[in-house]
Amino acid sequence: MDSSAKRATAFGLVAILLWSTSVGLLRSISEHFGPVGGAALIYTVSAVCLCLARGLPKVREIPPRYLWIGGVLFVTYEIFLALAIGLAHSRSQSLELGMINYLWPSLTILLALFINQQRSNLWLWPGLALSLAGIIQVMKGDGDWSPIQMWHNILDNPLAYGLAFAAALIWALYCNITRRWSGGKNGISLFFCATAVVLWVKFAFVSEAPIHFTLPSTLQLLFMGVSTAVAYTAWNHGIQRGNMTLLATASYFTPVLSALIASLWLGLHPGWVFWQGVMMVVGGSLLCWLATRRYS
């Protein structure tokens, strides 16, 4: 691997690191600015950064199906994930909801069987089962598990859990739609602008407290907004010019890094059961990926 490819791979790894900060920062920013106001501010900063760095794509050059269907899916995913974490009743619950989002790699491969005619072997199904079992492990906490107890946990905050599960499914669908319909075009800058606009419209109709800036909250907001824009740009550069296999493998360990950073940032101390669940999600995702690798 030449030096330019190594640099591109390093950029891709930086993107994974930056994305891993999202759960903890989303929760912290939502505590300062509110679930909707915080999300609107984050995506506004990210949209401005992306537009300055990449500019807005020419709408006429983007395939219509990708522009409209992919755009709606992207905007919906970003809003659902941000609101799910912001609406969590506690920081511990926000960590659980963040982990639910990481069902998307396994779901992406499952949907690829039907949307992109992806071939796989039988290891796909144990991988899916292991990922789902990992989420159940995360949600049950350190207490005894039963379907009734888990259902009670969900009923404690059904909107947030529903948004988190829906977000994982929507992002998996978006990934497959993008691969099939984008024609190599990238509408990320436009999609971020649309996300910010939708969130500000929603903010106008909800009863959240007025936005009040403090130095710590503003610094967190700027870091989150800028890092999100940098991560998307770095990831695109990495997968186009770097070691795709290394980046794909590394990305499957994002849940571990994300949970670790969120725990440190939010002052949480998840038990061993939680970490077992996180590793099960990672293991399941890797099994799903390996089940399709030889056919890619």
Side-chain angles (χ1 to χ4, degrees):
M1 187 164 56
D2 59 31
S3 59
S4 63
K6 289 180 179 179
R7 284 196 298 271
T9 303
F11 283 135
L13 293 174
V14 167
I16 293 172
L17 177 62
L18 292 175
W19 275 326
S20 297
T21 66
S22 61
V23 172
L25 282 172
L26 270 173
R27 178 61 189 182
S28 182
I29 291 170
S30 71
E31 291 176 352
H32 285 290
F33 299 111
V36 180
L41 287 167
I42 290 169
Y43 288 102
T44 298
V45 174
S46 295
V48 170
C49 291
L50 283 168
C51 288
L52 290 175
R54 303 170 60 92
L56 284 173
K58 296 180 180 178
V59 175
R60 292 182 180 179
E61 295 180 357
I62 301 177
R65 288 188 299 182
Y66 167 60
L67 174 64
W68 294 107
I69 299 177
V72 169
L73 290 172
F74 183 96
V75 171
T76 304
Y77 165 76
E78 298 291 349
I79 292 174
F80 277 20
L81 179 61
L83 292 183
I85 294 174
L87 291 170
H89 288 167
S90 66
R91 288 183 165 188
S92 296
Q93 191 174 81
S94 70
L95 195 58
E96 290 182 16
L97 293 164
M99 291 306 103
I100 290 172
N101 175 59
Y102 288 110
L103 279 173
W104 72 261
S106 298
L107 292 174
T108 298
I109 294 171
L110 176 63
L111 293 180
L113 300 180
F114 307 100
I115 297 175
N116 291 311
Q117 288 74 54
Q118 173 69 56
R119 297 172 62 194
S120 71
N121 59 38
L122 292 177
W123 282 107
L124 173 66
W125 306 108
L128 285 170
L130 186 59
S131 290
L132 288 171
I135 292 299
I136 292 173
Q137 187 86 338
V138 165
M139 290 174 61
K140 85 179 184 65
D142 294 319
D144 295 330
W145 181 86
S146 72
I148 295 176
Q149 181 60 45
M150 189 178 75
W151 183 244
H152 284 165
N153 290 342
I154 294 174
L155 289 180
D156 176 58
N157 195 349
L159 178 58
Y161 279 101
L163 289 172
F165 277 112
L169 181 60
I170 289 168
W171 189 250
L173 184 57
Y174 170 81
C175 291
N176 281 286
I177 291 298
T178 298
R179 181 179 179 87
R180 188 173 181 86
W181 290 343
S182 68
K185 301 298 182 180
N186 189 333
I188 292 297
S189 300
L190 189 61
F191 295 165
F192 262 85
C193 291
T195 303
V197 169
V198 172
L199 282 166
W200 282 120
V201 170
K202 181 174 177 59
F203 181 75
F205 291 95
V206 297
S207 57
E208 288 191 1
I211 291 175
H212 175 67
F213 291 94
T214 63
L215 181 59
S217 63
T218 302
L219 291 176
Q220 290 179 46
L221 171 63
L222 290 174
F223 177 83
M224 178 76 183
V226 173
S227 68
T228 301
V230 170
Y232 274 97
T233 302
W235 181 254
N236 282 342
H237 182 69
I239 61 176
Q240 288 171 355
R241 302 185 182 184
N243 186 328
M244 180 63 184
T245 301
L246 175 60
L247 291 175
T249 304
S251 69
Y252 284 103
F253 289 92
T254 307
V256 178
L257 191 57
S258 177
L260 179 60
I261 293 175
S263 298
L264 293 173
W265 183 256
L266 299 175
L268 301 174
H269 303 282
W272 171 238
V273 172
F274 173 86
W275 292 108
Q276 281 182 318
V278 172
M279 293 307 298
M280 289 165 70
V281 172
V282 171
S285 298
L286 284 171
L287 276 180
C288 290
W289 176 61
L290 291 172
T292 60
R293 186 181 177 190
R294 62 176 294 186
Y295 302 106
S296 301

